[in-house]
Amino acid sequence: MTLDLVDILTSLDKDEDIHLARILVLLKAFNRPEGPAIEGITKLAKLDFLLRYPSCLEKALLARGVSPKSIPVDDYERLAIEARMIRYRYGPWDHRYRRFLNILAARRLVTVRTDGRTIQIDLTVTGDKLAESLSNREGFKRVFERALLLKKHLDLKARRLMEFIYELFPELTTLEFNEGITFIGKTK
């Protein structure tokens, strides 16, 4: 049985807390004592794209010279519904980041500040504690490992990260709006 695009989008949208938790774990991995964890929604969206789609993360890390043995992606993850990428208005980046950040800020888990035109995103003390707890839970340990790999190998400026992703995945530029694409199979 194959799911159509509406079914996929509906199933992904139902559990907003998963997206919020993943963003907290990502911010935890990028936490810096000298400044915000992440600067810019564009950078957040691109990093979360790689974190959300393990097959894409794997391909990106391999392109950066990371050993395949160091990349925690299992075969079953390549076949999961979340492995099916959807083209949103601005590419495969979920269009809800502003909403997610507003929810996290309202719950006092993140701070969102502006510096000129750049949005600076950071964890609050409460958010850091929750992200720490999440990153130690069985369901998020692998996500946190991957987020740390992103920090180590893909902590680029937003524009360079975007260029890198489009160079690595040129098919992203040709997707129709709301079209699904699946990255299946080993990229190793």
Side-chain angles (χ1 to χ4, degrees):
M1 178 176 144
T2 57
L3 294 173
D4 70 1
L5 182 61
V6 174
D7 291 335
I8 293 169
L9 287 172
T10 302
S11 69
L12 294 178
D13 281 343
K14 284 182 183 174
D15 200 356
E16 200 169 71
D17 287 339
I18 293 291
H19 302 298
L20 298 174
R22 189 182 58 248
I23 290 168
L24 288 173
V25 169
L26 177 62
L27 290 169
K28 175 71 176 169
F30 276 76
N31 205 15
R32 310 166 201 274
E34 74 282 353
I38 294 178
E39 289 187 337
I41 291 179
T42 298
K43 184 172 181 174
L44 174 68
K46 302 322 181 239
L47 291 169
D48 188 50
F49 160 73
L50 292 171
L51 193 57
R52 184 174 180 174
Y53 301 108
S55 294
C56 295
L57 172 65
E58 181 178 41
K59 185 173 180 179
L61 290 172
L62 290 170
R64 298 289 287 186
V66 177
S67 166
K69 293 178 182 178
S70 302
I71 304 171
V73 176
D74 294 320
D75 286 337
Y76 78 88
E77 293 175 297
R78 292 181 187 92
L79 302 173
I81 286 177
E82 280 249 337
R84 295 176 186 209
M85 186 175 51
I86 305 299
R87 180 175 188 334
Y88 295 105
R89 182 175 177 193
Y90 302 109
W93 339 112
D94 197 315
H95 60 283
R96 299 171 292 173
Y97 286 104
R98 290 184 192 281
R99 174 180 163 74
F100 291 157
L101 290 175
N102 283 330
I103 291 169
L104 292 170
R107 293 179 182 174
R108 295 191 171 113
L109 299 172
V110 301
T111 58
V112 179
R113 295 181 298 279
T114 57
D115 182 13
R117 293 178 40 171
T118 303
I119 293 176
Q120 298 181 336
I121 309 154
D122 219 343
L123 291 170
T124 63
V125 172
T126 304
D128 186 62
K129 288 176 184 173
L130 178 56
E132 179 73 28
S133 173
L134 287 168
S135 65
N136 289 315
R137 289 185 187 168
E138 196 57 41
F140 279 96
K141 281 183 182 179
R142 298 284 297 244
V143 174
F144 186 61
E145 288 175 34
R146 292 178 187 146
L148 290 172
L149 284 171
L150 280 171
K151 171 79 164 97
K152 183 175 181 182
H153 300 285
L154 286 160
D155 189 12
L156 309 171
K157 296 285 185 188
R159 181 160 199 76
R160 179 62 196 122
L161 183 59
M162 181 175 62
E163 290 167 353
F164 170 77
I165 289 172
Y166 282 130
E167 288 166 13
L168 195 60
F169 304 103
E171 61 272 30
L172 297 180
T173 61
T174 60
L175 290 174
E176 295 293 324
F177 185 64
N178 284 336
E179 181 180 355
I181 184 170
T182 305
F183 293 98
I184 297 178
K186 288 189 176 187
T187 55
K188 295 178 188 178

